């Protein structure tokens, strides 16, 4: 299917690896020029070069921490008038509710709620002026069903979800859509970071921890970044203008709910 977005420009945050990279690749495959971001320069440049070579699109890189005010100023400066915004950043660490301090909460809120809100606030006025825009926020299945040890993530992402629920309905009349993609377990470094401690605690190899977790998912496997990117690119496509303020689970059926 032609996604109808060839020649448009996208800012894809936190995109040198994992789900962000999957989104960047799928948008590039649809002919979209990219601004890619991550903190580590090496992986970012490698990913950008491989996308340029594979798809022939223009890719600008911005190596910075997108959760800081300075980082946001850098990516926004490079992005200019983008048509598509994909927000993403690393997730907060797991832990126990009684150990988290106010500073831990502020860090999580900054990274996973206030950063996407700041980027939307800066970029959407231009989209509204031009009468077209697509925003996709990468959140988590924890928005629909809490993951107890990820309380910082549960809290911050639910806050973002509330903001999007209202705001998406204010900007839709201008041709701008905001939707959230809710990943369940995908085969990325983040999944390894969560499987590693489980393997250590149980005294089993990480492959065994992974296999046990995969067995709890109806699809019996982890998702791929290609599947995730394809869903993101569709939400950013010309065909998705009537999809507004939705929270779309990509979790292999992992969230046990009727609707
Ligand atoms: P990942 O494989 O660890 O990749 C994270 C990417 O983001 C890397 O490119 C990383 O590069 C970049 N990044 C991280 N923090 C950044 C920051 N502050 N500023 C700029 N770039 C940053 O993670 P992932 O699995 O793709 O996860 C992406 C998001 O989805 C996370 O918030 C995660 O919690 C959430 N999620 C993932 C899963 C899953 O199963 N994978 C499930 C639910 C939710 P640098 O390190 O070089 O900056």
């Amino acid at each position: 299917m032609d996604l109808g977005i060839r020649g448009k420009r996208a800012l894809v945050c936190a995109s040198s690896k994992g789900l962000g990279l999957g989104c960047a690749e799928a948008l590039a495959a649809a002919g979209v020029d990219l601004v890619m971001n991550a903190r580590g320069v090496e992986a970012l440049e490698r990913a950008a070069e491989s996308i340029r070579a594979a798809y022939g699109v223009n890719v600008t890189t911005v190596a910075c921490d997108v959760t800081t005010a300075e980082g946001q100023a850098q990516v926004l400066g490079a992005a200019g008038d983008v048509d598509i915004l994909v927000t993403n950043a690393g997730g907060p660490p797991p832990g126990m509710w009684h150990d988290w301090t106010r500073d831990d909460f502020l860090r999580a809120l900054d990274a996973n709620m206030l950063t996407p809100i700041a980027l939307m606030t800066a970029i959407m006025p231009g989209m509204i002026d031009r009468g077209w825009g697509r925003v996709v926020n990468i959140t988590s299945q924890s928005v629909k069903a809490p993951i107890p040890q990820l309380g910082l993530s549960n809290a911050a992402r639910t806050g973002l979800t509330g903001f999007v629920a209202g705001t998406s309905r204010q900007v839709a009349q201008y041709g701008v859509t905001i939707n959230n993609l809710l990943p369940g377990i995908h085969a990325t470094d983040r999944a390894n970071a969560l499987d590693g401690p489980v393997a250590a605690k149980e005294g089993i190899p990480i492959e065994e921890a992974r296999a046990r977790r995969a067995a709890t998912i109806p699809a019996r496997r982890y998702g791929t970044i290609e599947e995730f990117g394809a869903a993101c690119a569709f939400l950013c496509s010309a065909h998705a203008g009537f999809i507004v303020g939705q929270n779309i689970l990509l979790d292999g059926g992992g969230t046990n709910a009727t609707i």
Side-chain angles (χ1 to χ4, degrees):
M1 181 194 288
D2 180 354
L3 295 184
I5 48 177
R6 184 166 298 281
K8 294 207 181 280
R9 290 183 68 244
L11 166 60
V12 187
C13 301
S15 55
S16 66
K17 298 178 190 168
L19 304 179
L21 176 59
C23 296
E25 286 192 319
L27 287 168
V32 173
D33 293 326
L34 300 175
V35 177
M36 293 176 67
N37 150 257
R39 292 163 304 181
V41 183
E42 222 173 273
L44 179 61
E45 292 303 335
R46 220 177 18 247
E49 196 40 53
S50 127
I51 287 179
R52 286 185 198 107
Y55 306 106
V57 296
N58 295 316
V59 182
T60 305
T61 54
V62 189
C64 66
D65 183 342
V66 74
T67 67
T68 64
E70 306 77 57
Q72 285 155 30
Q74 277 181 261
V75 292
L76 288 170
D81 287 337
V82 283
D83 310 288
I84 293 166
L85 166 65
V86 179
T87 77
N88 187 28
M96 278 296 281
W97 59 272
H98 45 68
D99 295 332
W100 291 318
T101 64
R102 177 178 163 78
D103 281 346
D104 292 326
F105 275 100
L106 291 180
R107 263 192 299 277
L109 292 172
D110 257 339
N112 300 113
M113 177 183 170
L114 298 177
T115 293
I117 289 174
L119 295 173
M120 283 187 267
T121 304
I123 288 176
M124 288 197 308
M127 293 176 169
I128 288 170
D129 284 348
R130 295 186 299 278
W132 198 94
R134 297 284 184 266
V135 179
V136 173
N137 300 297
I138 300 179
T139 68
S140 171
Q141 66 180 358
S142 69
V143 169
K144 293 255 187 188
I147 302 172
Q149 70 276 21
L150 290 180
L152 294 171
S153 170
N154 298 339
R157 297 188 196 280
T158 306
L160 173 62
T161 305
F163 174 83
V164 167
T167 307
S168 60
R169 286 160 172 91
Q170 292 176 306
V171 301
Q173 64 189 304
Y174 306 110
V176 178
T177 69
I178 319 174
N179 293 286
N180 302 322
L181 277 180
L182 282 52
I185 300 304
H186 284 71
T188 69
D189 289 355
R190 169 74 172 172
N192 286 336
L194 296 175
D195 286 337
V198 172
K201 191 168 163 220
E202 307 271 323
I204 55 174
I206 191 165
E207 294 75 23
E208 175 64 20
R210 208 174 287 140
R212 285 187 193 176
R213 193 137 69 116
T216 68
I217 302 169
R220 299 287 187 269
R221 64 176 178 86
Y222 288 10
T224 70
I225 67 167
E226 290 78 14
E227 291 169 313
F228 193 87
C232 176
F234 182 76
L235 284 179
C236 296
S237 77
H239 313 297
F242 210 51
I243 304 177
V244 170
Q246 296 304 298
N247 290 282
I248 298 171
L249 271 170
L250 293 173
D251 70 345
T255 303
N256 195 31
T258 304
I259 55 171

